[in-house]
Coordinates of all heavy atoms in Angstrom, one line a residue:
Y1 N -2.2 5.2 0.2 CA -1.7 5.6 -1.1 C -0.7 6.7 -0.9 O -0.7 7.3 0.2 CB -2.9 6.1 -1.9 CG -3.9 5.0 -2.3 CD1 -4.7 4.4 -1.4 CD2 -3.9 4.5 -3.6 CE1 -5.6 3.4 -1.7 CE2 -4.8 3.5 -4.0 CZ -5.6 2.9 -3.0 OH -6.5 1.9 -3.4
R2 N 0.1 7.0 -1.9 CA 1.0 8.1 -1.8 C 1.1 8.8 -3.1 O 0.9 8.3 -4.2 CB 2.4 7.6 -1.3 CG 3.1 6.7 -2.3 CD 4.4 6.2 -1.7 NE 5.1 5.3 -2.6 CZ 6.2 4.6 -2.3 NH1 6.7 4.6 -1.0 NH2 6.8 3.9 -3.2
Q3 N 1.5 10.1 -3.0 CA 1.7 10.9 -4.2 C 2.9 11.8 -4.0 O 3.0 12.6 -3.1 CB 0.5 11.8 -4.4 CG 0.5 12.5 -5.7 CD -0.8 13.2 -6.1 OE1 -1.7 13.3 -5.2 NE2 -1.0 13.5 -7.3
A4 N 3.9 11.6 -4.9 CA 5.1 12.4 -4.9 C 4.9 13.6 -5.9 O 4.0 13.5 -6.7 CB 6.3 11.6 -5.3
P5 N 5.6 14.7 -5.7 CA 5.4 15.8 -6.6 C 5.6 15.4 -8.1 O 6.5 14.7 -8.4 CB 6.5 16.8 -6.2 CG 6.8 16.4 -4.7 CD 6.6 15.0 -4.7
G6 N 4.6 15.9 -8.9 CA 4.7 15.6 -10.3 C 4.3 14.2 -10.7 O 4.4 13.8 -11.9
T7 N 3.8 13.4 -9.8 CA 3.4 12.0 -10.1 C 1.9 11.8 -9.7 O 1.3 12.6 -9.0 CB 4.2 11.0 -9.4 OG1 3.9 11.1 -8.0 CG2 5.7 11.3 -9.6
Q8 N 1.3 10.7 -10.2 CA 0.0 10.3 -9.8 C 0.0 9.6 -8.5 O 1.0 9.0 -8.1 CB -0.6 9.5 -10.9 CG -0.9 10.2 -12.2 CD -1.6 9.3 -13.2 OE1 -1.5 8.1 -13.2 NE2 -2.4 9.9 -14.1
R9 N -1.2 9.7 -7.8 CA -1.3 9.0 -6.6 C -1.2 7.5 -6.9 O -1.8 7.0 -7.9 CB -2.7 9.3 -5.9 CG -2.8 8.8 -4.5 CD -4.1 9.4 -3.9 NE -4.1 10.8 -3.8 CZ -5.0 11.5 -3.2 NH1 -6.0 10.9 -2.6 NH2 -4.9 12.8 -3.1
E10 N -0.5 6.8 -6.1 CA -0.3 5.3 -6.3 C -0.6 4.5 -5.0 O -0.4 5.0 -3.9 CB 1.1 5.0 -6.7 CG 2.2 5.4 -5.7 CD 3.6 5.0 -6.1 OE1 3.8 4.6 -7.3 OE2 4.5 5.1 -5.3
L11 N -1.0 3.3 -5.2 CA -1.3 2.4 -4.1 C 0.0 2.0 -3.4 O 1.0 1.7 -4.0 CB -2.0 1.2 -4.6 CG -2.4 0.1 -3.6 CD1 -3.7 -0.6 -4.0 CD2 -1.3 -1.0 -3.4
V12 N -0.1 2.0 -2.1 CA 1.0 1.5 -1.3 C 0.7 0.2 -0.7 O 1.4 -0.8 -0.8 CB 1.4 2.5 -0.1 CG1 2.5 1.9 0.8 CG2 1.8 3.9 -0.7
A13 N -0.5 0.1 0.0 CA -0.9 -1.1 0.7 C -2.4 -1.0 1.0 O -2.9 0.1 1.3 CB -0.1 -1.4 1.9
T14 N -3.0 -2.2 1.0 CA -4.4 -2.2 1.4 C -4.7 -3.4 2.3 O -3.9 -4.4 2.3 CB -5.4 -2.3 0.2 OG1 -5.1 -3.5 -0.6 CG2 -5.3 -1.1 -0.7
I15 N -5.7 -3.4 3.0 CA -6.1 -4.5 3.9 C -7.6 -4.6 3.9 O -8.3 -3.6 4.1 CB -5.5 -4.3 5.3 CG1 -5.8 -5.5 6.2 CG2 -6.0 -3.0 6.0 CD1 -5.0 -5.5 7.5
T16 N -8.1 -5.8 3.8 CA -9.5 -6.1 3.8 C -10.1 -6.2 5.2 O -9.3 -6.3 6.2 CB -9.9 -7.3 3.0 OG1 -9.4 -8.5 3.7 CG2 -9.2 -7.3 1.6
G17 N -11.4 -6.3 5.3 CA -12.0 -6.5 6.6 C -11.6 -7.8 7.3 O -11.7 -7.9 8.6
I18 N -11.1 -8.8 6.6 CA -10.7 -10.0 7.2 C -9.2 -10.2 7.2 O -8.7 -11.2 7.5 CB -11.3 -11.3 6.4 CG1 -10.9 -11.3 4.9 CG2 -12.8 -11.3 6.6 CD1 -11.3 -12.5 4.2
G19 N -8.5 -9.0 6.9 CA -7.1 -9.0 7.1 C -6.2 -9.4 5.9 O -5.0 -9.5 6.1
R20 N -6.8 -9.5 4.8 CA -6.0 -9.9 3.6 C -5.3 -8.6 3.1 O -5.9 -7.5 3.0 CB -6.9 -10.4 2.5 CG -6.2 -10.9 1.3 CD -7.1 -11.6 0.4 NE -7.7 -12.8 1.0 CZ -8.6 -13.6 0.5 NH1 -9.1 -13.3 -0.7 NH2 -9.0 -14.7 1.1
T21 N -4.0 -8.7 2.9 CA -3.2 -7.5 2.6 C -2.7 -7.6 1.1 O -2.6 -8.7 0.5 CB -2.0 -7.4 3.5 OG1 -1.2 -8.6 3.4 CG2 -2.5 -7.2 4.9
N22 N -2.4 -6.4 0.6 CA -1.9 -6.3 -0.7 C -0.9 -5.1 -0.7 O -1.1 -4.1 -0.1 CB -3.0 -6.0 -1.8 CG -2.4 -5.8 -3.2 OD1 -1.7 -6.7 -3.6 ND2 -2.8 -4.7 -3.8
Y23 N 0.3 -5.3 -1.3 CA 1.3 -4.3 -1.3 C 1.8 -4.0 -2.7 O 1.9 -4.9 -3.6 CB 2.5 -4.8 -0.5 CG 2.3 -5.0 1.0 CD1 1.9 -6.3 1.4 CD2 2.4 -4.0 1.9 CE1 1.6 -6.5 2.8 CE2 2.1 -4.2 3.2 CZ 1.8 -5.4 3.7 OH 1.5 -5.6 5.0
A24 N 2.2 -2.7 -2.9 CA 3.0 -2.4 -4.1 C 4.3 -3.1 -4.1 O 4.9 -3.3 -3.0 CB 3.2 -0.9 -4.2
D25 N 4.8 -3.5 -5.3 CA 6.0 -4.2 -5.4 C 7.2 -3.4 -4.7 O 8.1 -4.0 -4.1 CB 6.4 -4.5 -6.8 CG 5.5 -5.6 -7.4 OD1 4.9 -6.3 -6.6 OD2 5.5 -5.7 -8.6
S26 N 7.1 -2.1 -4.8 CA 8.2 -1.2 -4.4 C 8.3 -1.2 -2.9 O 9.4 -0.8 -2.3 CB 8.0 0.2 -4.9 OG 6.8 0.7 -4.4
V27 N 7.3 -1.7 -2.1 CA 7.4 -1.6 -0.7 C 7.3 -3.0 0.0 O 7.4 -3.1 1.2 CB 6.3 -0.7 -0.1 CG1 6.3 0.7 -0.7 CG2 4.9 -1.4 -0.2
K28 N 7.2 -4.0 -0.8 CA 7.1 -5.4 -0.3 C 8.3 -5.7 0.5 O 9.4 -5.5 0.1 CB 6.9 -6.4 -1.4 CG 5.5 -6.5 -1.9 CD 5.4 -7.5 -3.0 CE 3.9 -7.6 -3.6 NZ 3.8 -8.5 -4.7
G29 N 8.1 -6.3 1.7 CA 9.2 -6.6 2.6 C 9.7 -5.5 3.4 O 10.6 -5.7 4.4
R30 N 9.3 -4.3 3.2 CA 9.7 -3.1 4.0 C 8.6 -2.5 4.8 O 8.8 -2.0 5.8 CB 10.4 -2.1 3.1 CG 11.6 -2.5 2.3 CD 12.3 -1.4 1.6 NE 11.4 -0.7 0.6 CZ 11.0 0.5 0.6 NH1 11.5 1.3 1.6 NH2 10.3 1.1 -0.3
F31 N 7.4 -2.5 4.2 CA 6.2 -1.9 4.8 C 5.2 -3.0 5.3 O 5.1 -4.1 4.6 CB 5.5 -1.0 3.8 CG 6.2 0.3 3.4 CD1 7.5 0.5 3.8 CD2 5.5 1.3 2.7 CE1 8.2 1.6 3.4 CE2 6.2 2.4 2.4 CZ 7.5 2.6 2.7
S32 N 4.5 -2.7 6.3 CA 3.5 -3.6 6.8 C 2.2 -2.9 7.2 O 2.3 -1.9 8.0 CB 4.1 -4.4 8.0 OG 3.1 -5.3 8.6
I33 N 1.1 -3.3 6.7 CA -0.2 -2.7 7.0 C -1.0 -3.6 8.0 O -0.9 -4.8 7.9 CB -1.0 -2.4 5.7 CG1 -2.2 -1.6 6.0 CG2 -1.4 -3.8 5.0 CD1 -2.9 -1.1 4.7
S34 N -1.6 -2.9 8.9 CA -2.4 -3.7 9.9 C -3.6 -2.8 10.3 O -3.6 -1.6 10.1 CB -1.6 -4.0 11.1 OG -1.1 -2.9 11.7
R35 N -4.6 -3.4 11.0 CA -5.7 -2.7 11.5 C -5.9 -2.9 13.0 O -5.4 -4.0 13.5 CB -7.0 -3.2 10.8 CG -7.0 -2.9 9.3 CD -8.2 -3.4 8.6 NE -9.5 -2.7 8.9 CZ -10.5 -2.7 8.1 NH1 -10.5 -3.4 7.0 NH2 -11.6 -2.1 8.5
G36 N -6.4 -1.9 13.7 CA -6.7 -2.0 15.1 C -7.8 -3.0 15.4 O -8.5 -3.5 14.5

């Protein structure tokens, strides 16, 4: 998640235990989440 000054904390990306991912529209195609 991320929080810029003066704004609320917002979701960036999540990943489940089986590797299913979810991204905020603003970062799709630019950010990638993964687990070790």
Side-chain angles (χ1 to χ4, degrees):
Y1 292 72
R2 68 186 181 187
Q3 187 169 18
T7 69
Q8 291 186 332
R9 192 172 297 187
E10 64 176 6
L11 179 147
V12 176
T14 60
I15 185 167
T16 69
I18 58 172
R20 185 169 297 175
T21 59
N22 179 53
Y23 295 94
D25 287 344
S26 59
V27 306
K28 282 181 181 176
R30 300 188 298 121
F31 291 11
S32 178
I33 189 170
S34 60
R35 293 175 74 156

